[in-house]
Amino acid sequence: MGAGLAYAVLKLPAEAPGLSKTVADNIDMSGVDNPVTAVVVNFRGYDTLLEMAVLLLALLVVWSLGSEPQRRELAPGEVLVYLTGLLVPLLILVAGYLLWVGAVAPGGAFQAGSVLAAAGLLLVLSGWRFGARFSGLSLRITVVGGLAVFVLAGLAMMLHGGRFLEYPIAYAGALILVIEAAATLSIGLILVALFLGGRPSPDQSPGSRPESRAEK
Amino acid sequence: MDEFYLGMAVMLLLTLVGGLWRVMRGPTPADRMLAAQLFGTTAVACVLLLSQVFERVALLDVALVFALLAAVTSVAFVRRVLNDEEAGHGDN
Amino acid sequence: MTTAFFYALTGIALFILGLYALIIQLHLLRKILAINVMGSGVFLLLIALATRTQSTPDPVPQAMVITGIVVAVSATALALVLMRRLLDAGGKAKLPEEKTD
Amino acid sequence: MEKMILLWSFDALLGITLVWLAWLTLSRDLFKSIVLFITFGLVLALTWVRLEAPDVALAEAAIGAGITGALLLGALARLESTPADGSDPAREKASLETVVPPGGTTPRQAQRRDRNVE
């Protein structure tokens, strides 16, 4: 099988223009200057839309399997508290930078989302959990937000007489930024929730603070 | 100058391969994990050299993300694997 | 043989290695690792073949690989949760044929 | 000319290291496997840099080197804390540990509460 695959690959022409010329010719219409971001959000928006749906589906399956396992975490030491305090703001800053720079240089929603998830992972590892205040509706809204904004933008374009996911050149840059910002938040949160490995359950725990439950 | 940078990158890759010896031999899990952390530093240096060779400033961002993200793995190691070992069969 | 083909062949080697390990390894965690190695092989093949252009590499396979990486990590997380559920339900993380390792 | 030779040796070294790491990853004991897989992700990100795909390299650096490693280490810890007889060794030491409720505490709060308990 390996030999067959290798033979098939070696039979390919040594030089193929691919689609880079097509993308380069149409880059002015996409609203961004980085060809990869243009392909991800604009030219092949369907892929990314469905990809967000796949992430959401994975999270749904994990949540449907039960609530998150109760872990007994040691209280974080001085070093970890200091490191978290130092790294988490820095990671959030870098995520924002990658999101912004994605329009002109390597970066974009997926990269920024995973850096954001890394910040969340650090917090989780030092004992933080989704609080009662956040584990209800607001968590769900943020998680679905990326997909929802994407679909809403596509539908709004349809109402304007265009086709689904076809952005007018004038607003394309701003639209892409909004879509990517929502996608970044969703991807980061979904990855953190997947790391927790279950539905957050503030009500079941004996230690959850009553005043935060009252706020819900 | 490119030749020098590329040569250094090849050297760094060789040190990475050498470091694998510690991952394979290292008597304790901490030894293996530290070696992997060191690879992260090697990779940062390698990316910086390549950004000079290919003249792409954007690669500096890659090095930045590398440097930041290496910390997450080590924190996960200390909090999950080491803590559980202590809680499991340590005496104090 | 050009650089693109060298890396494409490396990708195929990774894919085959991962497939082999997926079949013969019995521990579920190692099967998950094997699937990840297979995926990396496919990504490497795609990106390598995208560099066969004269100027900048083809951005379409690159965009596909970026989404692929994120999907792969979410699938891995899902597989790990499933493995843990199996463990909690009293099963073992290893398929029954193996004695010890 | 020299640049070509160096580039080729870099390519060859990178490719061989990748395949070798994959082989080692899939044939060692579990903890070694995971450490080697994290290294595999690092080398793969270097490969993306070499193949002029910095966007992919960014994604791989964030996910392959950071998040996948943390995920796998968490799963491994979970595996090893459940011995065959079903008892949970972590539970016996519970009195010495701070139980973090999923009620949302920051590290600092956790520490403060810890002191209050003492």
Side-chain angles (χ1 to χ4, degrees):
Chain A
M1 181 177 160
L5 277 174
Y7 176 74
V9 164
L10 288 177
K11 286 290 272 185
L12 288 170
E15 248 182 37
L19 291 167
S20 44
K21 195 172 177 315
T22 323
V23 172
D25 287 345
N26 291 311
I27 192 90
D28 290 338
M29 285 164 53
S30 69
V32 287
D33 290 329
N34 176 16
V36 179
T37 306
V39 171
V40 165
V41 193
N42 201 332
F43 298 150
R44 294 201 54 111
Y46 274 111
D47 287 5
T48 313
L49 181 69
L50 292 175
E51 196 266 354
M52 295 291 306
V54 168
L55 274 178
L56 208 57
L57 207 60
L59 184 64
L60 274 179
V61 174
V62 167
W63 277 1
S64 72
L65 284 170
S67 59
E68 69 178 274
Q70 299 278 314
R71 275 193 63 88
R72 286 158 199 281
E73 301 259 23
L74 298 165
E78 291 280 329
V79 179
L80 186 57
V81 170
Y82 180 71
L83 184 78
T84 316
L86 199 68
L87 269 182
V88 168
L90 202 58
L91 281 169
I92 294 174
L93 187 70
V94 169
Y97 164 73
L98 284 179
L99 175 65
W100 180 253
V101 87
V104 288
F110 291 108
Q111 292 85 344
S114 14
V115 172
L116 204 59
L121 247 58
L122 265 182
L123 285 175
V124 166
L125 286 170
S126 48
W128 177 86
R129 290 293 181 275
F130 288 122
R133 200 177 306 184
F134 191 60
S135 63
L137 196 61
S138 42
L139 173 65
R140 282 163 177 74
I141 286 178
T142 324
V143 159
V144 181
L147 187 63
V149 170
F150 216 139
V151 173
L152 282 180
L155 288 178
M157 290 310 112
M158 278 176 88
L159 283 181
H160 263 269
R163 271 181 294 165
F164 190 59
L165 293 181
E166 191 181 74
Y167 318 126
I169 302 171
Y171 311 115
L175 257 179
I176 287 179
L177 192 64
V178 171
I179 292 173
E180 285 208 301
T184 301
L185 281 178
S186 291
I187 292 171
L189 261 183
I190 290 176
L191 286 177
V192 172
L194 282 174
F195 181 73
L196 280 174
R199 191 161 13 85
S201 56
D203 293 340
Q204 290 175 9
S205 92
S208 78
R209 291 161 297 165
E211 68 269 15
S212 53
R213 208 180 300 167
E215 274 173 21
K216 246 176 70 177
Chain B
M1 208 54 191
D2 277 2
E3 286 81 4
F4 173 71
Y5 287 144
L6 261 178
M8 289 305 286
V10 173
M11 279 300 294
L12 281 173
L13 265 188
L14 281 174
T15 61
L16 197 153
V17 174
L20 280 178
W21 181 77
R22 180 46 66 190
V23 176
M24 305 308 294
R25 280 289 306 279
T28 67
D31 287 324
R32 303 181 209 279
M33 202 62 222
L34 268 179
Q37 286 299 303
L38 212 57
F39 296 157
T41 318
T42 314
V44 169
C46 226
V47 171
L48 289 176
L49 284 169
L50 287 180
S51 83
Q52 288 295 316
V53 175
F54 296 132
E55 289 168 359
R56 293 198 68 160
V57 191
L59 291 181
L60 297 181
D61 295 348
V62 181
L64 174 71
V65 171
F66 253 129
L68 282 174
L69 269 282
V72 177
T73 323
S74 51
V75 172
F77 169 72
V78 172
R79 295 290 292 173
R80 289 285 184 263
V81 179
L82 278 191
N83 273 1
D84 281 14
E85 261 177 23
E86 273 170 24
H89 31 79
D91 280 334
N92 44 358
Chain C
M1 199 170 68
T2 60
T3 314
F5 283 123
F6 172 72
Y7 280 109
L9 291 181
T10 311
I12 291 175
L14 289 182
F15 180 84
I16 299 289
L17 247 172
L19 186 62
Y20 172 72
L22 177 66
I23 295 169
I24 69 154
Q25 297 284 354
L26 292 167
H27 197 288
L28 292 179
L29 188 61
R30 213 169 279 139
K31 277 186 194 286
I32 295 172
L33 285 180
I35 292 176
N36 270 300
V37 169
M38 274 173 77
S40 304
V42 175
F43 296 155
L44 188 54
L45 179 71
L46 279 174
I47 295 287
L49 291 180
T51 58
R52 293 177 302 152
T53 52
Q54 240 118 40
S55 55
T56 51
D58 192 349
V60 178
Q62 295 195 3
M64 281 157 75
V65 168
I66 291 172
T67 50
I69 287 174
V70 180
V71 168
V73 79
S74 62
T76 306
L78 176 58
L80 290 172
V81 171
L82 282 174
M83 187 180 81
R84 209 195 57 225
R85 289 285 151 195
L86 192 66
L87 206 68
D88 288 351
K92 292 203 175 72
K94 226 179 259 177
L95 292 183
E97 283 90 348
E98 204 178 43
K99 285 155 278 174
T100 46
D101 83 330
Chain D
M1 188 57 214
E2 267 180 24
K3 192 181 169 184
M4 284 312 289
I5 294 175
L6 277 170
L7 209 53
W8 259 110
S9 46
F10 186 76
D11 286 350
L13 200 55
L14 209 55
I16 291 168
T17 313
L18 268 178
V19 176
W20 191 46
L21 271 174
W23 173 248
L24 290 178
T25 298
L26 299 173
S27 58
R28 300 294 145 151
D29 72 74
L30 280 179
F31 182 74
K32 262 190 228 174
S33 284
I34 289 172
V35 173
L36 286 166
F37 187 73
I38 295 168
T39 317
F40 177 78
L42 274 172
V43 179
L44 200 61
L46 278 181
T47 315
W48 303 143
V49 170
R50 165 70 187 90
L51 289 172
E52 293 180 63
D55 296 84
V56 186
L58 267 176
E60 182 78 42
I63 287 180
I67 294 171
T68 312
L71 265 173
L72 290 170
L73 286 173
L76 180 73
R78 188 77 198 168
L79 267 184
E80 285 181 345
S81 70
T82 317
D85 58 354
S87 73
D88 194 347
R91 212 143 287 173
E92 290 153 24
K93 296 270 291 180
S95 57
L96 290 177
E97 292 163 15
T98 310
V99 180
V100 175
T105 43
T106 62
R108 271 176 217 282
Q109 279 173 336
Q111 230 182 15
R112 228 173 278 145
R113 200 187 46 220
D114 200 17
R115 285 200 199 104
N116 289 345
V117 169
E118 308 289 350

